[in-house]
Amino acid sequence: MLRKEVQVERPSRWDVPLDDQLTSALVDRMLQIPPFSRMDADRFPASCPLRGILQNDTRIVSCKPGDLIVREGDYGNSAFMLITGTVVVTLDPLPAELIGRPKQQRWRKFIKLLRHLRRPRFAEVRQAIHDATTRLGQRHNGAQTQLFLQDVPGILNRHRTLQIRPGEFFGEIAALARTQRTASVIATHPAQLLEIRWQGLRDLMKYAPKLRQHIEELYRQNSLSTHLRQTPLFAQLDKAQLKRVCEATQFETFGNFEWNQPYQKLQQASINERIAAEPMIAEEGNTPNGLILIRNGFARRSEACGVSHRTVSYLGKGQAFGLEELYHQWKTGEAASLRHSLRAVGYVDVLRIPTDLVEQLVFQRMPAAERTKLEKATENWQRAPANNIATSVAKPHQASCAELPTSMLEFIVDQRLMNGTQTMVIHLDRCTRCDDCVRACSDAHDNNPRFVRDGVVFNRQMFASACMHCTDPVCMIGCPTGAIARDESSGAIVIQDLTCIGCSTCANSCPYQAIRMVPIRDGKGQLIVDEQVQSPLLKATKCDLCNDLLGGPVCQRACPHDALARIDLTKPDELAQWIAR
Amino acid sequence: MSSFRIRRYRNSLGTATLLLCFVAYLSWCQQHLIDTRLDTGYLLYGCVIVLLAFHWRKRLSFLPLGKASTWMQFHIYTGLAALPIYLAHAGFQLPQGRLELVLSSLFTLTFVSGIVGLYVTRTYPQRLTNASQQVLFDQIPAAQHLVAQQARQLVLQLVQEPGTTTLARFYQERLHTYFEQPRGWRFTLRPGIQTRRALMSQLTSIQRYFSAREQVAGDQMFQLIRQKDDLDYQQALQTILRGWLYLHISLSYSLFVVGAVHGALALNFAGGAQ
């Protein structure tokens, strides 16, 4: 019998380098300059050498005066180090129009509304292809698209800036924590930068402790206090106390940053296998080692049940784990073990705050109402033991999970639906399949609906294939023009049609298949094609929560049977309340 | 108590109160020998316009005109209230004359279709959800075609081997029509599992004649019969869910037009024959 197999080399991490034009000579040159010259190459393992990281995870970016290297509000997956030249970081937010994100006036929305009265005969008709009003320029450099600002001296005169010195890093926090860039960085003179993708930066931090300390220090100085201040537990602390917490906080990272790819593969595995594959952050039965705060991503809170684990709830950004146990310890003086395990779902960044600080600064200053809540919760431990299968399936596990049963929570976690802040949920027992929602969406969006009334179904609820406006919008990573961005006022992820160049990066990145590439037409219904290659011009389309219309998402307003709602699944109680109407 | 139940009680109470006011007004007019036919006519035609406005609101869904579900509630209770208003307007008598007969027939049909629609929209979605798979209405014919193709392929593969004709004969005699043809209006109006059960029972009874290969194919055929039946069931329910609405809207517009004619004539001759 013939053996039908083909032998190939196993794919490896650096098969596709960030820049295949990067020469060994350039890498040698980089190894001569700080901070790489100060790194001990022997600390790097053979599988991940320092030279390999520089060769494969970095590229040299040459900028001209006016180039916008980092734009505030964008999501990025790389950090930069200045090699030569001058770049500045803006300390004040730049006007939205200047960086290509015009804010829509209310009267403009009204005009747009009137325009809908005249329904176009064809789908996806565009009156303009390029944005003639933008003050942001685009320059194509091979496969790369570089944005540049006009009138840089004027901008520098009107806004406070800080010059970045050669050897300094920027953009590392947003790249590592997958948060929005908080400031813009502009080249004022010709500059050369080293761009490092997050995978490389992560390894550099792992094997070069000084770099890790440096980046963690930067985060501690610039962002941690803001993050803690937004967390209700630490909101009442004064500056000095907050500083103490910041200094003692430890940073930990679990899971895979590019969670969207393994998640799709893991769908084939059983629920037990999937839970077992998730990296453990804290294990049930262990003594709590500080308070865990979720900085980014999601974590599954589970309890042992038979040979597997049962999902109790999921935690997102700003939520704490181990608080009840620590409180019990502090109050009674008895050692308490963790009642649940915490596992990373995809990728999670956590902050660990030492127990003694939580006791001194949080519990002692906690308002009486909060204390009563915690006391009640710990009292309930005795009444409803963690391993009681009947109570945990039928009754709520915690106040935030209202009535959602374990199976529903597990479904939401497994499908990564807890990422959605505006998930379209359809109650199938009320939905008459009339498609009024689809028709309304089509009427509001160029005769082409921005969602499909189809999707995963669980417990008579359909989670439709519509953009969920995720808390962790992986679609925004890698957009070359920043066309896809979060609208500051509504929080919706919106695509600027005139800025979109149709590269499909966002559509390929979206793990929920909520972005579709569509060919565009002119007013006569003719396809608009690229004059060079004669292929149709594509635009990325997705639900924009009817951002340019008055009154909110039309799909929800159009449903006559109260069957459709946009629900924030980062808070499971919202879904529970909606189901229990 | 669920929010829907509270809403139902609140809206019913509101409608009942308004109707009581209406009855009180009628009795007051009766006591004072005031002719109320014009008043009730205006009110009734106003109700028709309000009821039709829901359809116009649906067409202008992009305008901020409030939630369609709120409009729906208003539509239901206005529609229900229209019946006593109509009876009062018609003087609790059967219509006389052709136009009045057409008009009252249209009103009755529109009202009945609305009630049927209310029942259908409240019960059919659950039945649809209970079905094994959720298929979009537009995609059902393609899915049916695929199932029919799979059944045909299954049989064609089987007959290539000698001595495996039993299932093929059964397919030819019974299953071919079932897979290839639509189920007809009776099934659409009252979808049931009788046909599927009968076919499965027949298939079970002839299984003892099957060869080993046919046994395997027979199991697959059971699956396909179930799939086809599920698709037909979905199609029937969704056809009713869509069909009643088209009927209801057509009747409503007819009522609107004929009502306008009736109103114009009534106003023209309001003073009596000259």
Side-chain angles (χ1 to χ4, degrees):
Chain A
M1 199 174 160
L2 273 173
R3 283 175 61 197
K4 286 187 179 173
E5 57 186 38
V6 181
Q7 296 193 2
V8 295
E9 199 180 334
R10 182 183 284 276
S12 64
R13 172 180 162 181
W14 287 327
D15 282 350
V16 185
L18 185 62
D19 182 6
D20 49 13
Q21 309 290 317
L22 198 70
T23 59
S24 294
L26 265 174
V27 176
D28 287 337
R29 212 188 104 199
M30 277 194 277
L31 283 166
Q32 304 299 316
I33 57 167
F36 307 114
S37 60
R38 291 194 212 116
M39 288 178 188
D40 182 1
D42 296 337
R43 290 183 75 115
F44 287 77
S47 59
C48 182
L50 175 59
R51 169 175 271 280
I53 294 172
L54 293 179
Q55 179 81 60
N56 297 286
D57 287 330
T58 65
R59 70 173 164 210
I60 304 285
V61 181
S62 297
C63 294
K64 291 182 180 172
D67 280 1
L68 189 59
I69 303 158
V70 163
R71 176 166 52 169
E72 58 196 81
D74 276 359
Y75 279 66
N77 55 357
S78 55
F80 297 87
M81 190 195 87
L82 182 64
I83 303 173
T84 56
T86 317
V87 301
V88 293
V89 57
T90 57
L91 299 176
D92 307 322
L94 294 178
E97 299 78 19
L98 201 69
I99 54 172
R101 295 221 176 88
K103 274 185 186 156
Q104 208 162 41
Q105 306 289 326
R106 210 172 157 78
W107 64 269
R108 273 187 193 273
K109 284 190 177 187
F110 188 71
I111 299 286
K112 266 199 166 176
L113 206 75
L114 294 178
R115 212 177 286 163
H116 284 288
L117 290 169
R118 220 180 117 235
R119 196 177 300 177
R121 280 168 58 213
F122 308 100
E124 300 297 350
V125 170
R126 299 291 191 278
Q127 303 301 335
I129 310 299
H130 303 288
D131 190 357
T133 59
T134 186
R135 289 154 71 188
L136 193 66
Q138 273 184 26
R139 191 176 59 240
H140 298 282
N141 180 13
Q144 302 292 314
T145 303
Q146 183 62 53
L147 302 174
F148 63 90
L149 292 166
Q150 329 263 5
D151 184 27
V152 175
I155 294 167
L156 297 181
N157 282 340
R158 283 192 299 274
H159 300 278
R160 289 185 306 137
T161 56
L162 185 75
Q163 192 173 331
I164 292 174
R165 288 186 299 269
E168 277 187 334
F169 278 87
F170 60 90
E172 71 289 335
I173 305 291
L176 289 168
R178 195 139 68 201
T179 50
Q180 281 174 301
R181 308 270 196 204
T182 50
S184 298
V185 179
I186 309 160
T188 50
H189 294 90
Q192 263 201 333
L193 299 140
L194 181 73
E195 184 179 355
I196 311 170
R197 60 181 169 192
W198 75 268
Q199 293 93 336
L201 187 63
R202 178 197 57 191
D203 287 334
L204 286 175
M205 284 173 68
K206 200 170 171 183
Y207 303 115
K210 277 193 176 166
L211 182 73
R212 183 186 184 89
Q213 281 167 9
H214 172 69
I215 288 177
E216 282 185 358
E217 203 46 49
L218 280 178
Y219 178 74
R220 228 182 274 276
Q221 283 168 11
N222 302 332
S223 311
L224 183 58
S225 58
T226 318
H227 179 85
L228 289 176
R229 182 72 68 202
Q230 287 166 351
T231 309
L233 278 173
F234 299 97
Q236 76 278 10
L237 300 190
D238 61 34
K239 242 184 179 177
Q241 289 164 342
L242 206 62
K243 200 180 165 202
R244 273 180 71 196
V245 178
C246 286
E247 280 166 1
T249 301
Q250 291 167 19
F251 304 101
E252 287 169 34
T253 298
F254 298 88
N256 187 348
F257 194 73
E258 286 176 337
W259 60 265
N260 45 329
Q261 282 145 19
Y263 134 75
Q264 281 157 345
K265 278 183 207 152
L266 267 174
Q267 290 302 303
Q268 323 296 330
S270 72
I271 173 76
N272 289 357
E273 288 169 336
R274 287 198 293 255
I275 293 180
E278 289 166 356
M280 184 76 80
I281 302 171
E283 194 166 4
E284 182 182 342
N286 287 355
T287 310
N289 179 19
L291 180 74
I292 295 173
L293 272 183
I294 308 287
R295 188 173 128 201
N296 270 303
F298 286 93
R300 185 197 299 264
R301 185 179 172 127
S302 66
E303 62 186 16
C305 183
V307 295
S308 183
H309 266 249
R310 183 173 55 206
T311 307
V312 172
S313 67
Y314 51 85
L315 306 182
K317 191 177 179 179
Q319 288 185 290
F321 177 81
L323 186 70
E324 287 174 13
E325 288 85 347
L326 288 178
Y327 183 80
H328 185 76
Q329 258 181 200
W330 175 72
K331 188 80 187 164
T332 61
E334 295 167 14
S337 53
L338 289 171
R339 297 180 72 243
H340 302 115
S341 294
L342 191 70
R343 292 158 190 274
V345 178
Y347 170 80
V348 185
D349 256 345
V350 300
L351 303 172
R352 203 182 281 270
I353 296 152
T355 307
D356 56 327
L357 275 183
V358 177
E359 289 176 350
Q360 285 169 31
L361 300 175
V362 178
F363 294 147
Q364 284 183 3
R365 288 168 172 77
M366 194 174 251
E370 291 296 315
R371 269 194 207 189
T372 318
K373 240 191 230 175
L374 277 176
E375 267 160 28
K376 273 192 181 166
T378 47
E379 273 169 27
N380 285 341
W381 290 0
Q382 278 84 36
R383 284 200 214 119
N387 287 328
N388 187 334
I389 192 157
T391 45
S392 63
V393 170
K395 286 184 181 174
H397 301 286
Q398 58 168 142
S400 71
C401 282
E403 298 285 329
L404 284 188
T406 303
S407 52
M408 179 67 116
L409 283 170
E410 284 181 345
F411 176 81
I412 290 171
V413 174
D414 291 340
Q415 300 289 332
R416 303 290 190 267
L417 295 170
M418 71 290 180
N419 199 3
T421 61
Q422 292 286 336
T423 310
M424 185 186 284
V425 187
I426 300 175
H427 197 313
L428 291 176
D429 277 354
R430 298 191 69 83
C431 173
T432 63
R433 283 71 166 170
C434 64
D435 280 331
D436 277 357
C437 50
V438 181
R439 220 168 291 125
C441 182
S442 169
D443 288 348
H445 296 98
D446 303 308
N447 257 359
N448 199 11
R450 297 293 190 244
F451 74 98
V452 186
R453 189 182 50 76
D454 202 3
V456 286
V457 177
F458 189 83
N459 215 3
R460 310 180 91 78
Q461 315 295 324
M462 177 185 278
F463 299 86
S465 298
C467 176
M468 308 195 299
H469 303 273
C470 299
T471 42
D472 182 12
V474 285
C475 57
M476 282 170 59
I477 298 169
C479 175
T481 60
I484 184 163
R486 197 187 285 280
D487 183 82
E488 269 179 42
S489 53
S490 66
I493 311 288
V494 181
I495 298 174
Q496 298 283 345
D497 196 69
L498 291 172
T499 320
C500 174
I501 54 169
C503 66
S504 309
T505 306
C506 53
N508 295 334
S509 302
C510 174
Y512 310 100
Q513 286 88 43
I515 304 179
R516 286 188 302 152
M517 302 306 297
V518 296
I520 54 170
R521 295 169 188 276
D522 67 1
K524 292 175 187 163
Q526 292 169 325
L527 275 176
I528 298 173
V529 295
D530 182 337
E531 59 188 4
Q532 282 184 341
V533 290
Q534 294 298 307
S535 61
L537 278 186
L538 300 175
K539 291 277 181 185
T541 60
K542 62 179 265 305
C543 163
D544 58 357
L545 281 184
C546 299
N547 214 33
D548 57 351
L549 288 181
L550 296 167
V554 288
C555 51
Q556 189 171 344
R557 280 190 286 137
C559 180
H561 304 287
D562 286 307
L564 186 153
R566 305 303 294 246
I567 291 177
D568 183 357
L569 287 188
T570 60
K571 299 169 193 145
D573 51 338
E574 208 172 296
L575 177 65
Q577 280 164 13
W578 188 73
I579 294 172
R581 288 173 299 166
Chain B
M1 198 186 289
S2 75
S3 61
F4 290 132
R5 191 168 288 181
I6 293 170
R7 184 175 74 179
R8 198 176 309 137
Y9 288 148
R10 189 192 58 210
N11 293 354
S12 304
L13 194 71
T15 314
T17 310
L18 287 174
L19 281 175
L20 276 176
C21 295
F22 175 69
V23 171
Y25 170 73
L26 285 184
S27 64
W28 181 84
C29 288
Q30 218 169 11
Q31 281 167 13
H32 293 79
L33 301 174
I34 298 169
D35 187 358
T36 57
R37 280 177 299 176
L38 268 181
D39 294 350
T40 52
Y42 276 125
L43 188 61
L44 189 57
Y45 199 67
C47 283
V48 172
I49 291 172
V50 165
L51 291 166
L52 262 180
F54 181 38
H55 185 237
W56 302 329
R57 184 253 171 258
K58 278 188 179 185
R59 298 275 128 205
L60 301 169
S61 53
F62 47 86
L63 291 176
L65 298 172
K67 285 163 72 180
S69 56
T70 311
W71 278 77
M72 183 67 173
Q73 288 300 307
F74 194 65
H75 183 84
I76 291 170
Y77 288 95
T78 310
L80 288 171
L83 182 68
I85 299 170
Y86 163 77
L87 291 174
H89 180 65
F92 297 92
Q93 287 171 353
L94 286 173
Q96 294 163 346
R98 279 180 201 159
L99 185 69
E100 284 186 9
L101 186 68
V102 170
L103 192 58
S104 60
S105 305
L106 278 174
F107 180 84
T108 311
L109 285 171
T110 311
F111 184 81
V112 170
S113 68
I115 297 293
V116 168
L118 193 61
Y119 170 75
V120 162
T121 52
R122 294 293 182 266
T123 54
Y124 276 35
Q126 288 163 30
R127 292 171 68 183
L128 274 169
T129 312
N130 289 338
S132 57
Q133 52 179 335
Q134 303 298 318
V135 192
L136 294 176
F137 186 67
D138 305 333
Q139 290 173 4
I140 291 175
Q144 284 168 329
H145 179 71
L146 191 71
V147 171
Q149 212 174 17
Q150 283 171 349
R152 208 181 317 130
Q153 284 297 322
L154 190 67
V155 173
L156 284 174
Q157 280 171 7
L158 214 57
V159 291
Q160 283 168 6
E161 281 187 24
T164 53
T165 55
T166 318
L167 185 61
R169 274 169 57 199
F170 182 70
Y171 174 81
Q172 199 179 12
E173 289 164 17
R174 292 273 188 280
L175 297 179
H176 179 73
T177 325
Y178 173 75
F179 280 115
E180 300 287 341
Q181 287 182 8
R183 296 290 279 274
W185 62 269
R186 260 191 213 160
F187 180 82
T188 304
L189 290 177
R190 270 195 73 139
I193 55 165
Q194 295 86 342
T195 309
R196 174 169 84 175
R197 200 179 280 164
L199 286 172
M200 284 188 160
S201 155
Q202 287 166 11
L203 191 59
T204 310
S205 65
I206 61 161
Q207 260 183 325
R208 66 195 184 92
Y209 308 117
F210 285 177
S211 66
R213 255 204 92 204
E214 278 179 311
Q215 292 286 359
V216 179
D219 290 342
Q220 289 174 29
M221 194 58 88
F222 273 117
Q223 292 286 336
L224 292 171
I225 292 172
R226 197 170 291 123
Q227 273 182 38
K228 169 74 164 83
D229 196 60
D230 276 347
L231 288 169
D232 289 344
Y233 182 73
Q234 294 247 357
Q235 193 174 36
L237 294 183
Q238 293 199 45
T239 304
I240 295 289
L241 274 168
R242 280 154 197 259
W244 84 266
L245 190 60
Y246 288 121
L247 181 73
H248 186 64
I249 292 172
S250 314
L251 287 167
S252 302
Y253 275 103
S254 309
L255 182 66
F256 177 68
V257 173
V258 180
V261 174
H262 167 79
L265 289 173
L267 284 175
N268 203 27
F269 295 104
Q274 299 294 310

